[in-house]
């Protein structure tokens, strides 16, 4: 009870001193040579504390605003960087696609060149003759008797024997020589490529049997057709056709 009484007396005394004298600025009087102690009023202390708190709050708000501005700038920078990365990726994809197209084109050209080289080195030739003396109704002379062949597929040989038309299986430069033995007096005949006449020929101006030759060199593409077109009676064995790929 006695302790509580003294505590109360001390608090009242402290409150009275603060209200009268204020706060002691220099707790240690030895700092002042004159020994005078300096005080501020409680009201001044509260005002200074409030002002200081306002300054702290203002600084905090300014820092928050600054951080928001910096965060916005950083976000914009990152967005710009993402855009540049996307643009770079698109440019890289475009470059990659262009390179793929270029490589594909180069590869195709190399393949075509290799095919052409292989075709140029391929040996192709056939010599065949008429087997029975006759006049061909469709005017296309047939040479079913094969004397020699090289570089021609079996299907190509069979088709040539039945139709008289030589189908070029590879592109190149071809030499054609046709010999027709006939007694027709000054009768015309032709060499054709597809539907076009590429060379003219005629039998001897005589009623006697004679062999007449017509030949030429022609550029042909794959699947072009070469054949002899004649409306004359053709003698067997001595009437023959030779086709050679020379390049």
């Amino acid at each position: 009870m006695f302790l509580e009484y003294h505590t109360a007396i001390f608090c009242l005394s402290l409150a009275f001193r603060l209200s009268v004298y204020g706060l002691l600025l220099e707790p240690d009087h030895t700092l002042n040579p004159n020994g005078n102690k300096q005080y501020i009023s409680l009201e001044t202390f509260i005002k200074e504390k409030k002002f200081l708190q306002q300054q702290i709050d203002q600084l905090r708000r300014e820092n928050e605003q600054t951080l928001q501005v910096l965060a916005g700038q950083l976000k914009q920078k990152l967005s710009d960087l993402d855009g540049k990365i996307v643009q770079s990726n698109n440019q890289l994809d475009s470059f990659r696609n262009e390179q793929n197209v270029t490589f594909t084109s180069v590869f195709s050209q190399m393949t075509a060149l290799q095919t052409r080289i292989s075709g140029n080195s391929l040996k192709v030739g056939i010599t065949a003759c008429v087997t029975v003396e006759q006049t061909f109704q469709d005017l296309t002379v047939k040479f079913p008797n094969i004397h020699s062949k090289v570089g021609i597929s079996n299907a190509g040989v069979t088709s040539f024997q039945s139709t008289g038309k030589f189908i070029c299986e590879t592109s190149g430069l071809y030499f054609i020589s046709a010999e027709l033995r006939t007694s027709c007096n000054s009768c015309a005949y032709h060499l054709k490529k597809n539907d076009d006449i590429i060379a003219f020929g005629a039998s001897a101006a005589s009623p006697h049997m004679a062999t007449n030759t017509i030949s030429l060199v022609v550029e042909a593409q794959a699947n072009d057709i070469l054949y002899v077109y004649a409306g004359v009676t053709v003698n067997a064995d001595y009437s023959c056709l030779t086709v050679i790929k020379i390049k």
Side-chain angles (χ1 to χ4, degrees):
M1 185 70 179
F2 178 78
L3 180 60
E4 293 177 354
Y5 172 78
H6 280 279
T7 301
I9 294 299
F10 174 76
C11 291
L12 290 174
S13 176
L14 178 61
F16 175 77
R17 289 173 62 85
L18 289 173
S19 63
V20 175
Y21 299 105
L23 297 176
L24 179 63
L25 293 179
E26 299 177 355
D28 187 358
H29 66 86
T30 58
L31 297 177
N32 190 338
N34 299 324
N36 296 326
K37 299 181 179 180
Q38 299 181 10
Y39 294 86
I40 61 172
S41 65
L42 180 60
E43 181 180 0
T44 302
F45 172 75
I46 293 174
K47 289 181 179 180
E48 292 293 334
K49 179 180 180 182
K50 184 178 180 180
F51 175 76
L52 182 60
Q53 184 64 45
Q54 291 175 346
Q55 294 295 315
I56 293 173
D57 293 340
Q58 178 66 24
L59 182 60
R60 182 183 295 111
R61 287 191 296 269
E62 291 177 354
N63 287 339
E64 290 177 351
Q65 292 175 356
T66 302
L67 289 175
Q68 290 178 356
V69 171
L70 291 176
Q73 293 177 348
L74 180 59
K75 184 177 180 180
Q76 184 62 41
K77 292 290 185 181
L78 291 175
S79 178
D80 294 342
L81 182 59
D82 288 339
K84 291 181 179 179
I85 292 175
V86 171
Q87 182 179 4
S88 297
N89 289 336
N90 292 336
Q91 292 176 348
L92 182 60
D93 290 339
S94 178
F95 176 75
R96 186 182 296 111
N97 292 334
E98 291 176 358
Q99 290 299 312
N100 289 338
V101 171
T102 301
F103 290 151
T104 301
S105 176
V106 171
F107 180 76
S108 298
Q109 294 176 8
M110 291 178 61
T111 302
L113 181 60
Q114 183 63 40
T115 301
R116 183 174 180 180
I117 293 174
S118 299
N120 288 339
S121 62
L122 181 65
K123 296 179 180 179
V124 176
I126 189 170
T127 296
C129 299
V130 177
T131 55
V132 178
E133 183 176 333
Q134 58 182 303
T135 300
F136 297 93
Q137 297 300 319
D138 61 357
L139 304 185
T140 299
V141 182
K142 297 175 179 60
F143 305 90
N145 185 13
I146 306 298
H147 286 272
S148 63
K149 64 181 179 66
V150 61
I152 304 171
S153 66
N154 292 332
V157 172
T158 301
S159 175
F160 173 72
Q161 288 177 306
S162 62
T163 64
K165 296 181 177 182
F166 178 83
I167 300 176
C168 300
E169 296 179 339
T170 57
S171 301
L173 191 64
Y174 286 82
F175 171 76
I176 311 170
S177 178
E179 297 179 345
L180 297 184
R181 184 174 174 80
T182 179
S183 59
C184 185
N185 188 351
S186 300
C187 293
Y189 62 96
H190 316 289
L191 288 178
K192 282 190 171 186
K193 183 178 79 170
N194 302 325
D195 294 327
D196 300 323
I197 296 174
I198 56 176
F200 295 88
S203 61
S206 169
H208 303 289
M209 281 287 183
T211 300
N212 309 279
T213 303
I214 182 174
S215 58
L216 83 160
V217 173
V218 61
E219 182 79 24
Q221 303 300 319
N223 297 318
D224 278 347
I225 300 173
L226 305 174
Y227 57 99
V228 178
Y229 190 81
V232 299
T233 299
V234 179
N235 183 252
D237 298 328
Y238 298 100
S239 299
C240 302
L241 175 69
T242 296
V243 180
I244 302 172
K245 182 177 178 296
I246 59 177
K247 185 177 180 182

